[in-house]
Amino acid sequence: MMNPTVRWSLFLLLIPLLVLLAAAVMQTDGHAVDLDAVFADASMAHPLGCDALGRDLLARLAEGLQLSLSVGIAVVCLGGVIGISIGMFAAWMGGWLDAVLMRFADIVLSFPGILLAIALAAMLGPGVENLIIALVAVGWVGFSRLSRAQVLALKHAPFVEASLAGGSSVRYVAVRHLLPNIAAPLLVEASFGLAAVVIGEAGLSFLGVGVQPPDASLGTMIREGTRLMLVEPLLVIWPGLILFLLVMAVNLLGDHLRDRLDVKGGHADA
Amino acid sequence: MLGRVCAIRIFQAVPTLLGVTTLVFFLLHLVPGDPVDALLGETAMATDREAMRRALNLDLPLLQQYVSFLVGLSTGDWGNSIVDGRSVLILIGERLPATAELAAVSLLLALVLALPLGYWAARHAGSTRDFAAMSFSLLGVSIPNFWLGPMLMLLFSVILGWLPVSGMDAPGSIVLPAITLGTALAAILSRMARSSWLEAMSSDAMRTARASGVKEQVIWWRHAGRLAAVPVVTMFALQLGAVLGGAVITETVFDWPGLGLLTIEAIQRRDYPLVQGCVLIIALFYVIANLLADLLSLWLDPRQRHG
């Protein structure tokens, strides 16, 4: 019997998945401008209608969704690898190196995350790569503090000392012994992190410092849709709804993982 | 004892503040290529470029720029806006009251909503009512504020016509921005309130109180309430700072003329000194709010003073 939280989460993902599937079947180009189809209603050719330039809304939603997911996964993976490496290294080395690295993490944490990402993305200039850099620059900190705390607790555990005494290298101990033991809270952090990054990417694109038109991001679509809200409210309702369902599903999965893996704390603030 | 611990905490915040200002300084130097190119375009006249370079102090060595930046910060000279030449601090000062008003109303709204909701959920833990309250909370943390804002606008301003669409001049104009900004806070706080209340209720002290015949209502509010208040109040103080980050987006959505909108306008106009000033002031507030949260929890929970 599937856990109710997981069931809810999969249920929420149903509409985003349907959008992806339908777009894959339809094979419509989300960039193709068709001035005869401006604000076209839903039809067989355009199941969700068209936007102000006559572009297919379904295709653009699918493109935005894919972008959100790929940026989200890329940022969580990159931020995770960087953050976990720094955190484990700081905990293992201790001393001034630990102090310097953690003070730096504190400083990054002294900014509201979204503000630092906005400022970085704005300074680096538009584009997906810079967007990823800006989000990673904010996202690694959570992983590094968490992994540091975990490694500090396990550093002198008998199984670690036994392995070192048996001649294993530090790298071997870190990857084969420490990492599997600290994976549970990191996994929970990663799932909430994914939700936060997906919102973050859309937020930056909404503000105009992320993905640039004509590329579709759920954030840019909400931005464009808001301007045309009086004419065609569906243009803002759809991308927001897809984003909301995706984030809520990921948050639910995070909640489930936290309970399942019995991790204390964790957060769901995006 | 409390005074000494507080003094240590305040002293510890100094290097963080210095770190924050350093990071903000280097943000400006992150601009790929030449910021003057970004501002004036590559076809600008050499004399204009030189003037701009001097105005931004970019003709000095990096270290000297950094030192003069720090000296300027401490003497109240935060530079001038490139766009209209006015002092960055004055521009920030003009916009601060609007953001303070929005933040205060949002935080108040969040608190008024979150406490009863958290209590209600904890009181009926495991029931459908708990599930309903926590579903609302999950909804609140998952809904992006740059979508919630337009949706509220669509319903209450466009369809029902009850409230103004944007700006801050019309009566009632603060309602929608405050709900937009306050929803996520309410969601986070209500989760926090629920879990801390439940944890407090499961403590030995509450079992003893119950065994000695103290009324259930009194245990929940007077005894467990005080214990549960520590993390909730701390989280609330932390949110004082976080709300400023959220304000950047909410103010953009509603055209609310505060610090957040000023930041975005400065970014769009590539007004780097102003961007620097805005980011710095928000970060400073954030650091102060975190410090406040720290001090508050020390005051509320004597156990932490010996930690």
Side-chain angles (χ1 to χ4, degrees):
Chain A
M1 185 70 186
M2 197 187 275
N3 179 292
T5 318
V6 179
R7 220 177 322 152
W8 267 106
S9 172
L10 292 179
F11 176 71
L12 291 173
L13 282 178
L14 213 60
I15 296 180
L17 282 176
L18 265 177
V19 165
L20 283 180
L21 195 72
V25 171
M26 301 284 293
Q27 290 282 336
T28 317
D29 179 9
H31 290 253
V33 174
D34 177 3
L35 294 179
D36 290 330
V38 169
F39 296 132
D41 288 331
S43 63
M44 282 307 280
H46 305 291
L48 297 178
C50 291
D51 70 0
L53 292 173
R55 295 173 299 192
D56 184 56
L57 188 58
L58 179 73
R60 293 188 70 73
L61 278 178
E63 190 187 323
L65 191 57
Q66 280 170 19
L67 187 114
S68 285
L69 279 174
S70 40
V71 168
I73 292 168
V75 170
V76 169
C77 289
L78 274 171
V81 169
I82 296 172
I84 294 167
S85 312
I86 292 179
M88 289 179 80
F89 182 65
W92 191 263
M93 300 303 284
W96 67 270
L97 209 65
D98 179 33
V100 168
L101 286 171
M102 286 306 112
R103 280 301 81 73
F104 184 62
D106 281 347
I107 291 165
V108 175
L109 278 183
S110 302
F111 288 86
I114 185 79
L115 178 77
L116 189 58
I118 290 170
L120 268 172
M123 290 301 166
L124 290 170
V128 178
E129 291 85 9
N130 289 341
L131 185 67
I132 292 177
I133 294 175
L135 290 168
V136 169
V138 179
W140 66 274
V141 190
F143 288 104
S144 87
R145 287 177 70 106
L146 194 59
S147 50
R148 175 180 175 270
Q150 300 284 322
V151 170
L152 275 183
L154 289 177
K155 201 171 148 184
H156 298 296
F159 70 92
V160 174
E161 294 193 334
S163 180
L164 284 171
S168 309
S169 69
V170 172
R171 195 194 299 175
Y172 181 86
V173 173
V175 176
R176 299 298 291 268
H177 291 308
L178 287 173
L179 206 53
N181 274 292
I182 65 172
L186 290 174
L187 207 62
V188 175
E189 171 79 15
S191 59
F192 288 128
L194 180 64
V197 170
V198 166
I199 286 199
E201 177 275 314
L204 294 188
S205 299
F206 173 83
L207 291 172
V209 292
V211 176
Q212 298 295 307
D215 288 337
S217 142
L218 294 175
T220 48
M221 290 177 75
I222 294 175
R223 176 194 172 95
E224 287 163 11
T226 306
R227 286 192 200 127
L228 300 163
M229 204 163 63
L230 296 179
V231 191
E232 189 53 76
L234 280 174
L235 289 180
V236 61
I237 293 177
W238 268 114
L241 186 69
I242 299 288
L243 179 66
F244 170 52
L245 290 173
L246 178 67
V247 171
M248 190 140 147
V250 176
N251 271 334
L252 262 177
L253 277 180
D255 272 352
H256 170 66
L257 274 178
R258 186 182 51 195
D259 297 343
R260 180 75 188 273
L261 302 172
D262 197 22
V263 175
K264 202 167 154 49
H267 53 84
D269 46 322
Chain B
M1 183 67 195
L2 182 61
R4 213 175 77 92
V5 179
C6 286
I8 293 174
R9 295 289 166 96
I10 293 171
F11 184 70
Q12 280 171 344
V14 175
T16 310
L17 283 176
L18 193 68
V20 165
T21 47
T22 310
L23 196 58
V24 171
F25 169 78
F26 283 107
L27 267 182
L28 185 79
H29 294 84
L30 257 180
V31 188
D34 192 339
V36 176
D37 281 346
L39 283 167
L40 299 176
E42 286 176 28
T43 52
M45 305 252 289
T47 46
D48 290 346
R49 297 167 62 93
E50 219 29 64
M52 179 62 80
R53 201 170 278 281
R54 263 201 306 281
L56 287 172
N57 279 337
L58 290 172
D59 51 341
L60 304 172
L62 196 63
L63 195 67
Q64 204 175 334
Q65 285 184 45
Y66 177 60
V67 173
S68 67
F69 169 71
L70 284 186
V71 171
L73 281 187
S74 48
T75 52
D77 175 17
W78 287 34
N80 294 324
S81 154
I82 295 175
V83 175
D84 59 9
R86 294 176 62 205
S87 152
V88 165
L89 262 188
I90 290 181
L91 283 168
I92 290 175
E94 282 174 1
R95 299 290 192 100
L96 213 50
T99 298
E101 188 186 335
L102 177 61
V105 176
S106 309
L107 285 164
L108 195 71
L109 185 79
L111 206 59
V112 166
L113 214 69
L115 283 187
L117 202 66
Y119 169 75
W120 198 59
R123 196 75 209 251
H124 304 284
S127 73
T128 332
R129 280 178 271 191
D130 179 24
F131 179 75
M134 286 307 102
S135 302
F136 165 78
S137 163
L138 182 71
L139 215 90
V141 286
S142 304
I143 198 160
N145 51 4
F146 49 91
W147 186 58
L148 177 63
M151 286 299 101
L152 292 173
M153 226 186 249
L154 191 64
L155 180 63
F156 293 104
S157 311
V158 179
I159 297 175
L160 297 171
W162 290 352
L163 293 161
V165 176
S166 61
M168 71 175 292
D169 300 326
S173 54
I174 198 166
V175 178
L176 295 184
I179 296 176
T180 305
L181 190 54
T183 301
L185 302 180
I188 295 170
L189 279 177
S190 64
R191 272 184 166 215
M192 194 63 161
R194 174 188 180 270
S195 61
S196 349
W197 233 310
L198 280 179
E199 203 173 317
M201 281 307 289
S202 67
S203 71
D204 289 345
M206 301 310 137
R207 199 186 52 192
T208 311
R210 211 175 253 154
S212 16
V214 181
K215 276 193 195 134
E216 196 69 0
Q217 201 69 15
V218 177
I219 297 178
W220 272 92
W221 282 102
R222 185 100 57 82
H223 299 286
R226 272 177 70 169
L227 265 182
V230 180
V232 174
V233 168
T234 311
M235 179 59 97
F236 183 74
L238 284 176
Q239 297 299 335
L240 282 176
V243 83
L244 290 173
V248 176
I249 287 179
T250 307
E251 288 180 3
T252 311
V253 171
F254 288 97
D255 223 4
W256 185 264
L259 203 54
L261 188 61
L262 183 70
T263 312
I264 295 301
E265 286 168 354
I267 286 175
Q268 282 164 352
R269 293 177 190 154
R270 295 179 168 273
D271 191 344
Y272 294 125
L274 190 54
V275 174
Q276 205 172 38
C278 290
V279 173
L280 192 60
I281 196 97
I282 295 178
L284 291 183
F285 275 122
Y286 196 60
V287 173
I288 293 169
N290 286 359
L291 182 67
L292 201 70
D294 218 16
L295 298 181
L296 259 174
S297 76
L298 272 177
W299 180 58
L300 284 169
D301 188 356
R303 285 171 301 182
Q304 290 184 24
R305 291 175 212 165
H306 305 284

